[in-house]
Structures are given as structure tokens and as C-alpha cells.
Amino acid sequence: MTGLALEAINVSKRFGDLQALDRVSLKLKKGGIHALLGENGAGKSTLVKCIVGFYTPDEGEVLLGEHQQLISNPRDAHDLGIGMVYQHFTLVPNMTVLENLVLARPRLPSIIDWNKERMAIAERMKGMPFQLPLDAPVNHLAAGEKQKLEIIKQLLLDVKVLILDEPTSVLTPDEADEVLGQIKDMARRTGLAVLMITHKFREVVLYADDVTVLRRGRYVGSERVGDVSVEKMSEMMVGREFSGTALAREPAADQGVKLAIDALTIEDDSGLPAVSNLSLTVKGGEIVGIAGVSGNGQRELVEALAGQRPTTGGEIRVMGERYRGERQELLRHRFHCLPEEPLRNASVSRMSVAENLGFRCFDRPPHSIGGFLRRRAINAYAQRLIAEFKVSPANTAIPIGNLSGGNVQRAILARELWDQPNVLVVANPCFGLDFTAVAEIHARLMAARNAGAAVLLISEDLDEIIELADRIDVISDGRLVYETTPQAADPIVIGHHMAGHAGEPHAH
Amino acid sequence: MNADDIQWLNVFIAVLGGATRVGTPFLFVSLGECLTEKSGRINLGLEGNLIMGAMAGYGISWLTGSPWLGVFAAGATGLVLGFIHALLCQQPRVNDIAVGIALMILGTGLAFFLGKPLIQPSAPKLAAVHLASWSDNPALRSALEINILFVVGALLAPAMAWFFKNTRWGLAIRTVGESDDAARAMGLDINGVRMLATMAGGFLAGVGGAFLSLYYPGGWSEGLSSGQGLMAVALVIFARWDPIRCLYASLLFGGAGALGPALQSVGVTSGYYLFNAAPYALTLVLMIATSSTKVRSRMPGTLAAR
């Protein structure tokens, strides 16, 4: 099946001073997957929001199908059969799969006949690429199942164009392969047109038929996937030959164990065990990476290490001493922590950059004397930090919440890396950042390691862990289930363990 | 059976009877609060709705001679207060708790002010159905005087549970209460749904007020409500946002509230005020006992998220 499903012609969109999209065109064919590739901030989301009618383009137009219908608002897009799966889930967690599917129907009857709905949906479900238990509450589903449910929700609406926003960001490699493979089959079979936003070359190469690359809001080009190499794509995406410069990993001097976790047990908010009987050690001059799919106890572990969550069993030792996450201990051991989403978890967004950067040291001389803050000293200190870490804008007086995501990340990292940490706990440090920022943050973490810090890196990005870590552990359901080294690491094997399929044979 | 046993039996019967009498205002306010909270907003102003409803219901009943018109007037007053709450809360950066407290004080003050001329007159009351005219036990007879409003409330609870589960509107309210993102993706008007849920909840709380002035304890005075509107908020948490559990919880609170008067009627006067504090003590105990995270997991998502 061929023919155009959707066409965007010279679409431009400007927000204030920012030209978010500059004359971008895109042709989406029926019966295949079209990848939209670009760094963060390249304008992928803006383009898609123009397509689904969420934004009105300043110039250009979006046309659907052979009849060249114009899309001017979300309702049009919906009525014309464009469905979008967002990166964050739009499911109702306290409802069942069935309720969520029925809820998505545009014209619900006033009174819902659950038996009829159940039979109708069970019947349609047979033709779907994946199956899900209809009566399971959504909050009991794993992330991968939620993603499948989101996709089924759209497919049940008989969409002709399906837009997926970073569909595999919460999936293990296995799950990603399954979901994308099935979607590709379905597209071939039914003539569905799929537009997939991504920044993973692997998915483009394996599953997409065409690729369109955006850079800084501009259209760089469209290619048949078979005609273009990964090097060429990354060059289109970043604008220069992407060199995977290996980070300078100095041989580790044996510094002894700085962080030791022994049989640690932590409960989640509902009192269920989130981390069970977890033991690990991190030596000075070593990065230990913990890989895992989001929601397997990582958040609770980081919170416990940061002193934000009580533990229910086991103990944490830092520099050989029992550690309870108290401020005195943090200061004495130079125990530093960069949690995920630092704007929410490690800063006060309405307080100024200077105040936020002073959190570690505001109560010590020279930043305060006799209990009184010395604003000038704190400011000067913050100025040094943001100059060193290239935080922009270089203004310490504005609220930290006004900075962009990457700059918040840099600012908080500056606070945590300053003053030679002994132990550094880092969670998803590069989530949502672009290439350049990622490379810089990786280099900083490696430098901290080389300087003798014990680094515990907890990340959902397996590539990041393989690149940085000296040893790799896999967390699944609150337990460390697998240990390997970056040299021996096989992403597929690690993926199996991430998904909790332990005990399957794997060769080394 | 000796006289002592009969006395304690009478206390027991009186507590059971009191459960429906004292519990009815709890029932209406908690159903109203349950409806509002399911949509993702907390209305602490329902105490104000209750008192305004009591005043308006009594006034209209006195002016028109029809207690049922009074009940509707009470509901309408609650509807208006709910509208004000919803309108204020949908402004940017307005906190629903603060608005609720303001409206509680406004409603109470306004009712005292407007209700001054109503303290003297005697308005027609709601009639009760006597289910125990066959019995010659006065305690039993009084316990089985059931008010129609209680029956309405008791039927409303399962009806509301059915509504949440089986109707488009019920699903819309739950979705809005569970997740803003999901509601937006469905194209629901979040503020509109919350507005209607808050208004309907306000209506129910107003009706609960009418029961206070037009049936039990009856009459209009400034001491008519003793915080039932606020306790109902705790009751909704105890009931885990389930209308049918709201009914049971209201009966429990009603029974606790009837304990003091029942003991007094058999001549136990020592510690009278202590027994009158039973509902408040019960509120505290239940709040502590149910403050676990397991209860929280039943909480509408948008409330749990803050």
C-alpha cells in the first residue's frame, strides 16, 4: 500500500524570540514507519503538535490524505483519524484496562453497559498486536504494558495516522523490539501510517522506512532509511561528525570501600517493599552503574541514600561509619547526591540560583558567620560555580526554576561536584538533555571518579551505564539480579535481567 | 429481665435510632464531599453550606409553610456556595483548602446574620415515618421514627456508587479527579467537570443542613451545627472515597453522636459532656487509624499527587 497519509508543507512556528520551526516539510506514507529524528530542542515536539492541531502554524499547512483536508484544531485531527501516544502516560491509574479503553471512546453512551463493552473490546483485542488483561488495574501494569495499552487505545479508535512520542523510553530493549516490530507488521498489514519521534539510531535503522531529521528547528533532510548510514544520520542531527570520544578513564587506584550497602530494605509509599535485601559496595575511584527499568526501586534507593526516606532494614556505611542521612554526616563524609529531576528533587525552584547553589555550604564559614548569612560570599561562590560549569544565563539572582532543564542539571551538578565529593550518588543525570550537555556531564562524572570519588550511577539509559561504569549491576523488582562489567556487557542479556527474566541461560 | 438490663437495652436502641437521626446530616455532607473530591478538589467550605442550608431551609419553610420547599431552598443555597468555591478555585494559583476555609467562615457568618429573625418563629418541620407504632416501648418507638430524608440519603449512596461506575458522567468525574493529563487527552473540560461536581456536592451539603433545622435537633439557632460539615471531610477519607462506605461511616458517627443523649435519658449524667465528645474523639481515632498509605492509594490521583 502506498500513497500519502499526511503531508506537512513549510510549517513555521515562532514563540517570542525563538524560531521553533523554520519551514519544515514532511511526507508521511501509508503502511510504514517514518522516524522523526533530532536532538532535544530540535523542534520535533513542536512539529508534531502542529500536526495534531495543538498549535496553529504561523506559516505553512498540514494536509491529511488524498483529499488534502486541512487540520486546524485537535478535534479535526481526532475526527480525521490522527492518534497520538504521548511520552508521559495519559492513562487513569486507579481504573482497569477495560475502563481506560472505554473511556477513550469519543462518543460514550450516557449509561455504560459493561458486559457489552467488554465483549466488544475483547473481540477487537484479538486483532491487536498485543494482548492485555482487561480487568487489571492500570497501576499494577509494568511500564511496557502501559505503553502497549496507550497504543491499543489509539488503534481501537481506528486511527489512520499514529504518532508515537519516544515510544521506547520506558521499555527494555526486548520490549522495544516487540512493540516496534508488531507496530511495523500492523502498518504493513493495514496501511496505518506511523510517525515515530526518537533519538535512538538503532530503532530508526531496524524499524523505520523513512527518516526526517530536524536540527534547531530547521529541516535538514528526509531519506530512505536503507540509503543512509548511521554516521550520516548523526551528522545530519548534530551538524558535525559525531565522534564518540572515549572518556579518559584512568586506572583506578585502590582506595578502599567508601560506600557499603548491606542487606538494605526500603518500603515504597504504599508500604510495599521497594528495595529488598540489597547489598553493594563502591570503592573510591570507581563508578558502579545500576541499570534497570524505571520503577524497580531506584527512586526509593536514591531517596534513602539522600536521607529522604527511612529504611526498614539493613544498613548503609559511608567511609566505614554507619550512615543515617543526617546533615552532619553528609558534610563530614562529603556525601553528595544528584537525584533525577533535580529541579523537583534537589532544589527550590522559586529561590535564586545563588541560594540553591549554597544549600551545601550556607551554614559554614565563610558563607555564614555566627548564624548570619553572608550573601555576598554566597553570591561570589555561586558565581564561581556557574562560570566553571557554564550555566547560562550567568545570573545568580534569578529563580533557578527559570533556567532550562540542562542548565538546572549543570547548576545542581556544580553544587554536588564542587569540593571533591567522597561519595557521589547520581540518578538519570542526562534525562532530557541534548548531546553536548550529555557529553559534558559524562566527562564531569568521569573526572570525579578519576579524582577518587566513589560514584554510584543509577540510570535507565543502558548506553550511559556501559559507557561510564567500571562495574554494572542490574536492578529488577528491588533486587540486584545480575552483575557484569562494561567489557563483557551484552545489552540483550542485561535487558532480560532488567525485565526480571532471570535464570535464562546466557553465555559469557 | 430486670430494670437495669432494660435500661441498657434502651440505650442501645436509642443509639441505633440516633444513628439515623444524627447521621443523616453527616451522610449528606459526606456524599457531597465525596462527589467533590472524586473530581479532584477538596471543599472544606461544606460546613458553611450546612449552616447556610439549615438557615435557608428553616426560613423558607417558615415563609411558605412547606418544609420540602425549605429543603430545596437549602440545596439551592449550597449550590450557590459550591459555585462560588469552584469559580474561585479555577483561578490560577488559588488553593482550594484556603478558599474552603474562607467560605466556611463566610457561610457561618452570613447564616448567623441573616438568621437572626428566625430564632423565635416556629417553622413547619419535616414529618417522620413511624415504623414502630405497634410497639409500646417508647424508646423503640422513637428509634424507629425514620425521616424520609434519611431514606433518600441511604438510597443516594448506592445510586452514587453506581453513577461513578456506570455512567459517562461518573467516568468523566473520576478521570478528572485521577489525572489531569488523562482528562486533557480525553478532551474533557477539567474546570467544567469540577465546577459541576462542586456545585452538586454543595447542594447535598445544603440539604444536610435542612435536616438539622427542619427535623433533628430542629429549629434555628447559632449552635445548631457542631462541626458536622468538617467531620464529614474526615469521614470521606475514612470511607476511602466510596459512597456506600460513606453511608456506613455516617451511621457510625451518628451513633457516636447519639451516645451522650441516650445515656442522659437513662439517668447517666456523670461524664455527660465527655460522651458528647464521642464523635470528635472518634474522628481523631479514625484519622490516626486510617492515616496509612494504603488508604492513600484509594485517594483520587490528583489529590494524592499534592
Side-chain angles (χ1 to χ4, degrees):
Chain A
M1 258 182 265
T2 47
L4 275 190
L6 183 142
E7 186 172 13
I9 306 163
N10 284 330
V11 174
S12 296
K13 181 76 189 170
R14 166 180 281 281
F15 299 105
D17 286 341
L18 179 76
Q19 185 77 45
L21 280 181
D22 187 8
R23 281 162 294 150
V24 174
S25 299
L26 181 134
K27 283 183 177 160
L28 187 58
K29 291 191 202 115
K30 286 182 185 168
I33 298 185
H34 190 119
L36 184 59
L37 191 65
E39 290 195 86
N40 280 316
K44 293 171 298 190
S45 303
T46 312
L47 176 61
V48 164
K49 282 178 177 164
C50 288
I51 290 177
V52 298
F54 193 84
Y55 292 148
T56 313
D58 298 336
E59 276 172 56
E61 54 194 4
V62 178
L63 301 170
L64 188 83
E66 289 92 22
H67 306 296
Q68 311 266 298
Q69 280 152 307
L70 210 62
I71 298 165
S72 49
N73 60 50
R75 176 134 296 188
D76 277 0
H78 202 270
D79 291 346
L80 294 173
I82 301 182
M84 169 134 183
V85 174
Y86 295 89
Q87 201 174 356
H88 53 269
F89 295 125
T90 58
L91 301 167
V92 184
N94 271 343
M95 293 190 192
T96 64
V97 170
L98 179 66
E99 284 174 317
N100 269 283
L101 289 175
V102 169
L103 210 53
R105 254 177 51 190
R107 274 164 286 275
L108 275 181
S110 306
I111 292 172
I112 296 154
D113 180 348
W114 285 110
N115 285 329
K116 207 178 100 204
E117 299 292 345
R118 172 189 305 276
M119 296 211 324
I121 285 182
E123 187 57 38
R124 297 269 333 255
M125 194 75 132
K126 287 179 192 155
M128 288 293 142
F130 346 93
Q131 305 300 316
L132 288 171
L134 287 182
D135 291 310
V138 165
N139 50 10
H140 291 184
L141 297 183
E145 290 174 309
K146 286 183 190 162
Q147 186 77 52
K148 290 175 187 171
L149 177 55
E150 288 277 15
I151 292 171
I152 288 179
K153 202 168 89 178
Q154 294 301 329
L155 293 178
L156 282 179
L157 297 173
D158 294 315
V159 293
K160 298 190 198 83
V161 175
L162 179 65
I163 302 176
L164 305 172
D165 187 358
E166 304 265 359
T168 60
S169 56
V170 294
L171 305 183
T172 65
D174 275 352
E175 283 175 324
D177 285 342
E178 187 201 347
V179 167
L180 293 178
Q182 298 276 16
I183 297 256
K184 188 171 182 172
D185 284 351
M186 175 133 189
R188 291 272 185 280
R189 223 170 47 238
T190 63
L192 176 76
V194 181
L195 179 63
M196 170 173 79
I197 300 182
T198 187
H199 61 248
K200 294 182 185 166
F201 295 122
R202 177 174 175 274
E203 288 166 5
V204 177
V205 172
L206 285 179
Y207 298 104
D209 301 292
D210 299 279
V211 56
T212 291
V213 184
L214 300 186
R215 183 169 78 232
R216 304 222 173 109
R218 273 196 298 272
Y219 173 80
V220 182
S222 292
E223 302 279 352
R224 295 287 305 171
V225 169
D227 302 342
V228 61
S229 67
V230 170
E231 287 70 31
K232 173 79 175 142
M233 275 193 277
S234 57
E235 191 190 325
M236 288 166 82
M237 192 165 142
V238 199
R240 54 185 152 71
E241 201 74 51
F242 179 69
S243 57
T245 40
L247 295 164
R249 182 190 300 274
E250 289 167 13
D254 195 0
Q255 298 219 19
V257 172
K258 289 191 171 175
L259 172 67
I261 299 173
D262 185 34
L264 194 66
T265 300
I266 310 168
E267 287 179 354
D268 69 7
D269 291 334
S270 54
L272 299 169
V275 171
S276 322
N277 202 14
L278 182 142
S279 302
L280 68 85
T281 58
V282 189
K283 284 188 248 175
E286 175 182 60
I287 298 180
V288 172
I290 297 188
V293 181
S294 159
N296 276 287
Q298 295 101 318
R299 191 167 60 84
E300 286 81 3
L301 176 61
V302 172
E303 285 174 353
L305 287 169
Q308 293 170 322
R309 180 179 287 273
T311 58
T312 47
E315 63 172 17
I316 306 170
R317 288 183 168 273
V318 175
M319 313 300 286
E321 288 177 37
R322 184 76 196 266
Y323 167 86
R324 292 171 202 82
E326 286 159 10
R327 186 170 171 82
Q328 284 313 316
E329 296 173 331
L330 294 174
L331 291 175
R332 190 168 69 239
H333 300 310
R334 295 208 304 278
F335 184 105
H336 291 185
C337 184
L338 178 74
E340 61 186 343
E341 295 183 70
L343 187 59
R344 231 179 59 198
N345 297 322
S347 53
V348 181
S349 67
R350 298 239 188 117
M351 285 169 81
S352 73
V353 173
E355 285 165 329
N356 272 288
L357 290 179
F359 280 178
R360 286 251 171 243
C361 62
F362 71 93
D363 52 355
R364 281 181 300 174
H367 308 294
S368 74
I369 287 178
F372 292 96
L373 295 184
R374 297 180 66 217
R375 296 225 162 239
R376 204 176 287 169
I378 293 178
N379 252 330
Y381 169 78
Q383 287 290 0
R384 281 208 310 281
L385 261 64
I386 66 173
E388 171 77 16
F389 280 74
K390 302 191 194 71
V391 177
S392 107
N395 179 351
T396 56
I398 56 171
I400 196 164
N402 292 7
L403 299 183
S404 72
N407 282 304
V408 173
Q409 203 96 7
R410 276 197 205 97
I412 301 301
L413 196 63
R415 179 179 86 197
E416 301 302 322
L417 285 184
W418 203 253
D419 166 39
Q420 300 281 330
N422 250 327
V423 179
L424 182 63
V425 176
V426 197
N428 292 321
C430 300
F431 190 76
L433 301 188
D434 60 36
F435 267 175
T436 350
V438 168
E440 184 193 326
I441 285 174
H442 283 178
R444 301 250 180 217
L445 292 177
M446 190 54 84
R449 165 203 179 273
N450 292 342
V455 182
L456 182 62
L457 169 68
I458 295 155
S459 176
E460 286 155 33
D461 183 348
L462 192 51
D463 297 337
E464 174 173 86
I465 289 197
I466 293 177
E467 185 178 351
L468 290 177
D470 296 287
R471 283 191 288 132
I472 300 173
D473 277 300
V474 177
I475 191 167
S476 174
D477 204 14
R479 293 162 207 277
L480 295 185
V481 291
Y482 181 65
E483 185 169 353
T484 182
T485 60
Q487 293 76 32
D490 175 350
I492 295 298
V493 175
I494 293 181
H496 277 284
H497 287 279
M498 276 159 58
H501 301 191
E504 280 175 35
H506 47 81
H508 279 288
Chain B
M1 233 188 294
N2 61 32
D4 228 29
D5 285 342
I6 289 178
Q7 271 204 344
W8 288 116
L9 187 67
N10 283 345
V11 169
F12 181 68
I13 292 172
V15 167
L16 281 187
T20 68
R21 232 180 349 250
V22 184
T24 304
F26 280 122
L27 177 58
F28 276 93
V29 183
S30 63
L31 287 179
E33 184 68 26
C34 182
L35 181 59
T36 308
E37 290 194 15
K38 277 274 190 194
S39 80
R41 217 174 247 159
I42 295 175
N43 185 356
L44 282 187
L46 290 191
E47 172 77 9
N49 290 34
L50 187 81
I51 299 176
M52 272 300 275
M55 188 280 296
Y58 198 73
I60 294 298
S61 172
W62 174 54
L63 288 175
T64 65
S66 160
W68 286 104
L69 269 183
V71 170
F72 278 103
T77 316
L79 193 82
V80 172
L81 284 174
F83 172 75
I84 297 174
H85 185 273
L87 193 69
L88 291 176
C89 287
Q90 69 192 45
Q91 307 309 315
R93 285 194 293 278
V94 169
N95 177 288
D96 55 352
I97 305 284
V99 170
I101 292 174
L103 280 179
M104 173 170 76
I105 295 168
L106 174 77
T108 314
L110 207 57
F112 290 175
F113 174 70
L114 296 174
K116 284 279 184 247
L118 298 175
I119 295 175
Q120 282 299 324
S122 165
K125 304 277 174 62
L126 290 168
V129 183
H130 297 266
L131 291 180
S133 32
W134 45 267
S135 166
D136 52 4
N137 181 338
L140 192 63
R141 286 237 295 263
S142 115
L144 284 182
E145 277 175 22
I146 303 286
N147 189 282
I148 300 288
L149 267 187
F150 171 75
V151 179
V152 171
L155 292 176
L156 191 61
M160 197 186 275
W162 183 85
F163 167 81
F164 282 138
K165 179 149 178 52
N166 291 296
T167 66
R168 181 175 66 199
W169 279 97
L171 278 183
I173 289 175
R174 280 164 65 201
T175 308
V176 167
E178 286 295 343
S179 153
D180 283 4
D181 279 342
R184 255 183 237 115
M186 268 178 70
L188 287 172
D189 172 7
I190 296 178
N191 279 331
V193 171
R194 287 192 180 145
M195 166 75 80
L196 291 177
T198 313
M199 285 169 68
F203 182 91
L204 291 178
V207 170
F211 184 92
L212 281 180
S213 61
L214 293 175
Y215 187 68
Y216 182 87
W220 165 251
S221 73
E222 297 187 353
L224 194 59
S225 157
S226 39
Q228 281 102 322
L230 275 175
M231 276 190 279
V233 177
L235 198 149
V236 173
I237 299 172
F238 172 57
R240 299 185 194 175
W241 296 270
D242 175 349
I244 294 177
R245 282 162 175 270
C246 281
L247 172 61
Y248 300 148
S250 300
L251 290 175
L252 181 66
F253 273 62
L259 188 61
L263 285 172
Q264 197 191 26
S265 72
V266 299
V268 179
T269 49
S270 60
Y272 171 64
Y273 289 101
L274 202 61
F275 288 117
N276 273 351
Y280 309 101
L282 187 66
T283 310
L284 268 180
V285 169
L286 287 181
M287 288 309 279
I288 294 166
T290 59
S291 68
S292 76
T293 43
K294 286 181 188 82
V295 172
R296 228 182 142 76
S297 67
R298 296 287 192 86
M299 199 173 198
T302 53
L303 297 181
R306 54 188 189 186

